[in-house]
Amino acid sequence: MGKASGSALEGGKMLAKGVLLDVVFPRAYRRAAAATSLNPRKVVFVEVRESSLSDSFRLLHDRLVDRGYDVQVAFLEYHGSDYVQYYRNCRAMIDQIAAAPVVFLNDACNVIGCLPLRAGTRVVQTWHACGAFKKWGMSTADLKFGGSRAQKERHPHYGNLSLVTTSAPEVNWAYVEAMHLEDCPQIVKALGVSRTDVFFDPAWLERARARVEEAIPQAQGKKILLYAPTFRGRVATAEGPDALDIPALKRALGKTHVLLVKHHPFVKRPPELPADCADFAFDVSSGALAIDALMAAADLCLSDYSSIVFEYSLLRRPIAFFAFDREAYSDWRGFYYDYADFTPGPVFGTTTEVADWARSCEQAFDSAEVDAFRDRFMSACDGHATERILAEVFG
């Protein structure tokens, strides 16, 4: 495809998107709302990317079902490829939310943002991550990673919000900036993150470790090192980093550890693990083991710029950062806090340093740095976030 025809195709997509968001979807919502009245017991959870209920919503969903609410889930299945099916799913979602007083989101959704919502409908954004690490939303406007500010403002991904929940008061300012909520900062509240409640349940933690060991028998009797990096590049073409020297890590840790590699869900083709490391390194990016269970089972966590370090800090275990491309990543996307001062653990640029850290953790780890990080960025996550959110929304 030539450059001119590629530009024409992209222009056609943008035109179609504008017509849908500016005309078709608002008109469809008005018709649906006019044809029905609000059902005071109806609640709709909107999963923008997932095809099944995510852990972000699980506890909230189940509590509301137990309380007798009419709970529905709309799956938009946005993957950046099958746009026709995605917009069909959006159209079906519009009919679902037309009679709902409460709509829950956990991701960006410009479709919700474009609708002329009726009085009495509230949209609650629980977000899928904790804290504030790498920049996102309006914070990336005009950066290499983000689109232009004009594009983001035309079809806002965070419009129509009534409540935004966060993990701690410390990060509220970042959510106000990212979601362009400068006109209503009071809707951002540190009520906690629902899915972190499980980390305060000892029985759940034990079951999670058992599930991981059942799926990966080689982990039994060994330390589990979880490597969970974020993606590189743009969302539609996301790639996973492959700078970690896994054979070298096996030589250093193979007798005492196993390595579980969990790439970001945006990464469609994770880098292949070396065949001669099959008894040491395991790719758990796509499988039955959810990230929360993997964190619960892991004795150590190695990341780079991923927000999972916020959740992991609740477990008071060693955290380190393999930031071999920190300067390039900062220039590409940027951080909300100074990286060197912010990270609750050592920052490494080589595999040798990572191996030395993992070997020494059992004797040398002091939780004080992790505890301070947790108290600053996760203070509203105490095992009762789900109940606080429900009380705020439903009284």
Side-chain angles (χ1 to χ4, degrees):
M1 181 183 292
K3 185 174 182 179
S5 44
S7 298
L9 178 60
E10 189 62 29
K13 286 182 179 178
M14 293 300 293
L15 178 61
K17 175 183 174 182
V19 171
L20 286 166
L21 295 176
D22 295 334
V23 180
V24 176
F25 289 158
R27 187 174 295 169
Y29 179 83
R30 289 190 186 96
R31 285 198 301 266
T36 185
S37 57
L38 284 175
N39 173 357
R41 302 294 291 177
K42 185 174 184 179
V43 180
V44 178
F45 290 85
V46 178
E47 288 282 8
V48 176
R49 301 179 187 276
E50 305 297 331
S51 56
S52 60
L53 191 67
S54 66
D55 289 339
S56 296
F57 283 154
R58 175 65 62 186
L59 293 177
L60 291 164
H61 174 279
D62 291 353
R63 298 279 175 86
L64 289 171
V65 170
D66 290 344
R67 295 179 186 183
Y69 281 86
D70 175 9
V71 181
Q72 298 181 15
V73 185
F75 298 104
L76 304 188
E77 298 186 70
Y78 175 66
H79 305 300
S81 54
D82 190 350
Y83 289 103
V84 174
Q85 186 58 52
Y86 167 66
Y87 286 122
R88 284 175 180 162
N89 294 340
C90 290
R91 179 62 187 82
M93 180 265 295
I94 288 171
D95 288 337
Q96 285 180 276
I97 70 172
V102 178
V103 177
F104 281 100
L105 283 172
N106 63 6
D107 210 331
C109 186
N110 56 8
V111 178
I112 295 287
C114 80
L115 300 179
L117 293 183
R118 67 197 301 173
T121 292
R122 292 174 294 161
V123 178
V124 180
Q125 174 62 264
T126 60
W127 204 235
H128 57 275
C130 298
F133 202 159
K134 56 185 180 291
K135 290 187 176 181
W136 50 279
M138 288 297 291
S139 299
T140 64
D142 300 322
L143 294 179
K144 294 178 183 178
F145 173 79
S148 71
R149 181 168 293 274
Q151 288 174 329
K152 289 178 176 291
E153 288 179 347
R154 183 185 173 190
H155 298 126
H157 283 83
Y158 309 101
N160 280 327
L161 300 181
S162 300
L163 173 67
V164 178
T165 62
T166 70
S167 62
E170 167 68 31
V171 300
N172 285 5
W173 72 271
Y175 283 71
V176 170
E177 177 185 297
M179 296 184 180
H180 200 17
L181 300 174
E182 288 82 1
D183 291 340
C184 53
Q186 71 279 0
I187 73 170
V188 181
K189 299 184 179 182
L191 302 176
V193 178
S194 173
R195 68 182 178 84
T196 64
D197 286 355
V198 296
F199 290 112
F200 296 86
D201 182 351
W204 185 89
L205 294 175
E206 289 183 13
R207 290 195 299 271
R209 176 79 188 209
R211 286 199 301 274
V212 171
E213 291 186 348
E214 181 180 3
I216 304 172
Q218 294 88 339
Q220 296 178 15
K222 290 189 174 182
K223 297 289 184 182
I224 294 177
L225 170 57
L226 174 64
Y227 177 44
T230 194
F231 66 96
R232 302 309 194 270
R234 299 192 181 279
V235 172
T237 56
E239 297 181 351
D242 61 356
L244 192 66
D245 187 341
I246 293 177
L249 211 56
K250 178 185 177 180
R251 290 192 294 271
L253 302 174
K255 292 182 179 179
T256 54
H257 295 68
V258 294
L259 176 70
L260 305 187
V261 182
K262 177 73 168 179
H263 285 285
H264 193 282
F266 288 167
V267 177
K268 302 298 187 295
R269 293 188 179 88
E272 291 188 10
L273 299 179
D276 59 354
C277 296
D279 58 342
F280 167 72
F282 305 87
D283 189 338
V284 292
S285 301
S286 58
L289 297 174
I291 185 61
D292 289 349
L294 292 168
M295 284 191 283
D299 298 286
L300 311 89
C301 180
L302 177 67
S303 189
D304 47 13
Y305 322 114
S306 171
S307 65
I308 74 157
V309 298
F310 292 103
E311 293 100 301
Y312 197 75
S313 72
L314 295 173
L315 299 170
R316 304 184 68 198
R317 298 173 189 168
I319 305 172
F321 298 81
F322 185 48
F324 62 94
D325 59 348
R326 178 174 50 165
E327 289 186 10
Y329 192 90
S330 179
D331 184 50
W332 168 257
R333 187 162 179 177
F335 305 108
Y336 285 109
Y337 296 86
D338 180 80
Y339 190 88
D341 296 334
F342 164 83
T343 45
V347 178
F348 302 128
T350 68
T351 301
T352 299
E353 293 173 304
V354 172
D356 291 343
W357 164 77
R359 276 197 303 256
S360 65
C361 269
E362 194 164 359
Q363 288 77 33
F365 174 63
D366 181 353
S367 69
E369 190 174 14
V370 173
D371 291 344
F373 178 86
R374 179 200 63 207
D375 293 344
R376 180 181 181 187
F377 294 103
M378 298 293 287
S379 60
C381 296
D382 57 0
H384 304 286
T386 301
E387 286 304 319
R388 271 196 302 274
I389 294 170
L390 292 178
E392 179 75 21
V393 176
F394 297 96

